[in-house]
Amino acid sequence: MVNSIRIKLALWFVCMVMLLYSVDSIASMMVFKVSLMRSVDVGLEDLIAEVRPSVKVVNGHASLEDWSDEAEGKPILATVQLFDTTGKAVEEYGPEGVKQLHNGTLKIRNEEKSLRSMFSKIENDGKQYGYIQLQVSTRPQDDAIEQFFMVVMVVAPFIAAGVGICAYLFSGQAVKPIERTLLMLRRFVADAGHELNTPVATIEACLETLRDPHKLGEMSEDVLQIMERASERLRHLSKDLIVLARIEDPEAEMMRTSVSLHQLTDAVVSELVPRARERGIEIVMDNKVEANIYGHHESLLEIVNNLVDNAIKYCDTNGRVLVSLDQKDQNITISVSDNGVGIPADSIGNIFDRFYRVDKSRSRDVGGSGLGLSIVKAAVERHSGSVSVESEPGKGTTFRVTLPAGRSGTFEG
Ligand SMILES: Nc1ncnc2c1ncn2[C@@H]1O[C@H](COP(=O)(O)OP(=O)(O)OP(=O)(O)O)[C@@H](O)[C@H]1O
Ligand SMILES: [Mg+2]
């Protein structure tokens, strides 16, 4: 598919370049022809000026007989003609021309050659005696124009081939990001399908058990709990997918407002404290600043919620989570630290990938699908911020999110 896009792009490019080449060649040929004819006309003007004084008026008629006597024996390259006042040719010298008064190019019938012709009145003391006309063959100029045309035609296929090869190579570079995006999309769809499949299969198995009263027996409560957990996983997964799609969509309009990070972290922590207590985990807040940020409230909430949720999830009993806010110049840093299981060094580079989990079974047990940190990364990037992580297996992890406090970021609104 990508290859056919490359070929189409290359063909379009070749067509466009060849169209421009044709227009340019036609324009150049016309300019070339006009300038050639202009130079012939200048030559004719000079010749008329040279011959004109030799025209004698004898008995009220113009004549070039004296001039022809003088020119006898010398080669006459142009046709020299005399016309009376009615436009009738009366004398002609040199190569045979067309006996017709004309300024410009004359095509000779049944012959491939053409003539350039120019005439001028013969006047003396305000009285007109006829016309003098000079004609020359334009064969050398026609040959030059024909050669020009031949060069244009011969060069055209080489230009088309060269442009086609270059366009194909460059389009390879241009479609690389598309190729990468398609690959990512395919992987994402496969991973999402896989993640959805597990809870659906669990619910189906439970339904099967519920349908068979012999199998069910005393297990009914367990089966219902398993179904509840599976449906909770589905709900969590679909919510995360929707949030991620919305945050990553550059077209999505997201209203920015002034958000108090102090209040926001307070709200998140208050909501998560009961769950932390259940597992014997203590959450400590250390908000050093009353930080306000111009951003999208829901996305900022997702950032803090996912980081604190992870800190609780990946802490063992009696663990401790510290949430703090700090400001340096125009940058606000939200830090979430825990003394939990930590992340192995070789996994740190992958934790922001969609559906990536260091320990799949542990994450599944706590209901994780591996989308939380992808949401954090996308939301941070839309606020033109950055996120970093430090971790030591067995000792704990610290996530730091740095956001510009001013009106930056790419949110609409
Ligand atoms: N504070 C932490 N301590 C240890 N490991 C962590 C921590 N935060 C994230 N991780 C690791 O990074 C992985 C990815 O985290 P992420 O939040 O994206 O997914 P999740 O928590 O498994 O699922 P979800 O957030 O979608 O419910 C986790 O599965 C976990 O292995
Ligand atoms: Mg998470």
Side-chain angles (χ1 to χ4, degrees):
M1 180 197 168
V2 172
N3 206 39
S4 78
I5 294 176
R6 278 181 76 179
I7 292 172
K8 269 188 203 154
L9 274 176
L11 284 176
W12 268 106
F13 198 65
V14 170
C15 288
M16 278 170 60
V17 170
M18 292 322 286
L19 190 74
L20 288 174
Y21 177 73
S22 313
V23 171
D24 183 55
S25 303
I26 291 168
S28 308
M29 219 148 79
M30 280 163 72
V31 171
F32 183 52
K33 190 172 176 179
V34 167
S35 67
L36 279 179
M37 290 310 149
R38 182 72 210 120
S39 69
V40 174
D41 288 349
V42 169
L44 286 173
E45 271 166 20
D46 289 350
L47 270 175
I48 288 179
E50 206 180 302
V51 180
R52 176 74 185 74
S54 309
V55 178
K56 294 278 172 305
V57 178
V58 182
N59 298 331
H61 297 288
S63 170
L64 265 173
E65 272 167 19
D66 287 356
W67 173 80
S68 75
D69 291 343
E70 274 172 37
E72 187 128 1
K74 293 181 199 161
I76 304 173
L77 297 174
T79 308
V80 181
Q81 297 167 327
L82 267 185
F83 290 80
D84 62 17
T85 47
T86 62
K88 190 174 155 234
V90 286
E91 287 177 33
E92 181 180 89
Y93 306 94
E96 193 189 343
V98 178
K99 293 186 181 73
Q100 170 196 333
L101 279 173
H102 185 80
N103 265 331
T105 305
L106 275 168
K107 207 95 196 126
I108 298 181
R109 236 177 279 148
N110 303 333
E111 278 187 54
E112 278 189 7
K113 69 173 187 174
S114 53
L115 295 173
R116 193 77 181 165
S117 172
M118 187 179 277
F119 67 87
S120 164
K121 278 182 196 164
I122 303 166
E123 282 175 323
N124 208 352
D125 296 333
K127 200 170 172 219
Q128 192 184 334
Y129 295 97
Y131 303 89
I132 178 167
Q133 175 165 277
L134 269 95
Q135 293 178 335
V136 282
S137 165
T138 57
R139 172 46 68 63
Q141 288 75 20
D142 290 344
D143 286 351
I145 291 164
E146 206 174 296
Q147 271 169 19
F148 188 103
F149 180 71
M150 288 303 290
V151 171
V152 166
M153 292 307 283
V154 168
V155 167
F158 293 101
I159 291 182
V163 169
I165 292 167
C166 292
Y168 185 74
L169 293 177
F170 287 131
S171 63
Q173 296 298 317
V175 296
K176 257 190 189 145
I178 304 174
E179 221 167 2
R180 264 200 304 273
T181 310
L182 280 177
L183 190 71
M184 271 168 62
L185 199 68
R186 262 186 232 127
R187 268 193 210 144
F188 179 69
V189 171
D191 289 345
H194 183 72
E195 289 298 325
L196 287 167
N197 208 26
T198 317
V200 168
T202 309
I203 291 172
E204 274 176 359
C206 290
L207 283 174
E208 195 68 21
T209 315
L210 285 174
R211 268 198 208 104
D212 187 347
H214 302 294
K215 267 198 204 168
L216 189 62
E218 294 160 2
M219 284 164 56
S220 63
E221 190 53 35
D222 295 347
V223 171
L224 286 175
Q225 268 181 21
I226 294 170
M227 281 179 82
E228 209 170 40
R229 276 208 300 274
S231 97
E232 169 61 22
R233 267 193 75 185
L234 279 176
R235 199 190 54 75
H236 179 79
L237 186 62
S238 61
K239 182 221 129 210
D240 277 359
L241 284 172
I242 293 167
V243 169
L244 187 62
R246 206 173 51 225
I247 295 178
E248 282 195 333
D249 181 1
E251 306 281 299
E253 237 181 65
M254 288 176 156
M255 287 296 289
R256 283 193 290 177
T257 50
S258 175
V259 180
S260 158
L261 285 181
H262 196 106
Q263 282 176 15
L264 189 135
T265 45
D266 259 1
V268 171
V269 168
S270 312
E271 204 175 308
L272 293 175
V273 156
R275 230 183 60 212
R277 272 209 199 111
E278 254 175 45
R279 303 192 47 219
I281 294 164
E282 180 195 11
I283 308 185
V284 180
M285 298 265 293
D286 180 20
N287 289 347
K288 297 188 186 77
V289 287
E290 185 55 56
N292 273 305
I293 190 164
Y294 191 71
H296 181 241
H297 187 267
E298 294 303 312
S299 310
L300 294 168
L301 203 68
E302 286 293 340
I303 296 173
V304 180
N305 193 48
N306 273 298
L307 293 181
V308 181
D309 176 67
N310 279 353
I312 298 170
K313 268 199 306 205
Y314 303 107
C315 255
D316 291 323
T317 316
N318 297 328
R320 192 166 182 272
V321 175
L322 176 69
V323 182
S324 65
L325 279 182
D326 222 336
Q327 180 156 13
K328 203 171 176 202
D329 302 326
Q330 280 302 298
N331 289 325
I332 296 167
T333 304
I334 310 165
S335 308
V336 180
S337 309
D338 63 66
N339 57 354
V341 293
I343 305 166
D346 57 353
S347 294
I348 290 253
N350 301 320
I351 55 170
F352 292 99
D353 294 350
R354 292 153 184 192
F355 299 112
Y356 182 84
R357 285 156 297 192
V358 176
D359 180 351
K360 284 209 162 116
S361 58
R362 180 177 176 134
S363 292
R364 264 204 199 109
D365 288 346
V366 285
S369 53
L371 285 176
L373 288 179
S374 315
I375 293 173
V376 170
K377 190 169 172 247
V380 167
E381 279 172 2
R382 283 211 75 174
H383 280 86
S384 306
S386 62
V387 54
S388 65
V389 55
E390 270 172 38
S391 186
E392 208 177 314
K395 290 216 166 141
T397 307
T398 300
F399 280 92
R400 276 189 201 88
V401 169
T402 305
L403 301 168
R407 284 173 175 253
S408 55
T410 54
F411 284 111
E412 308 295 320

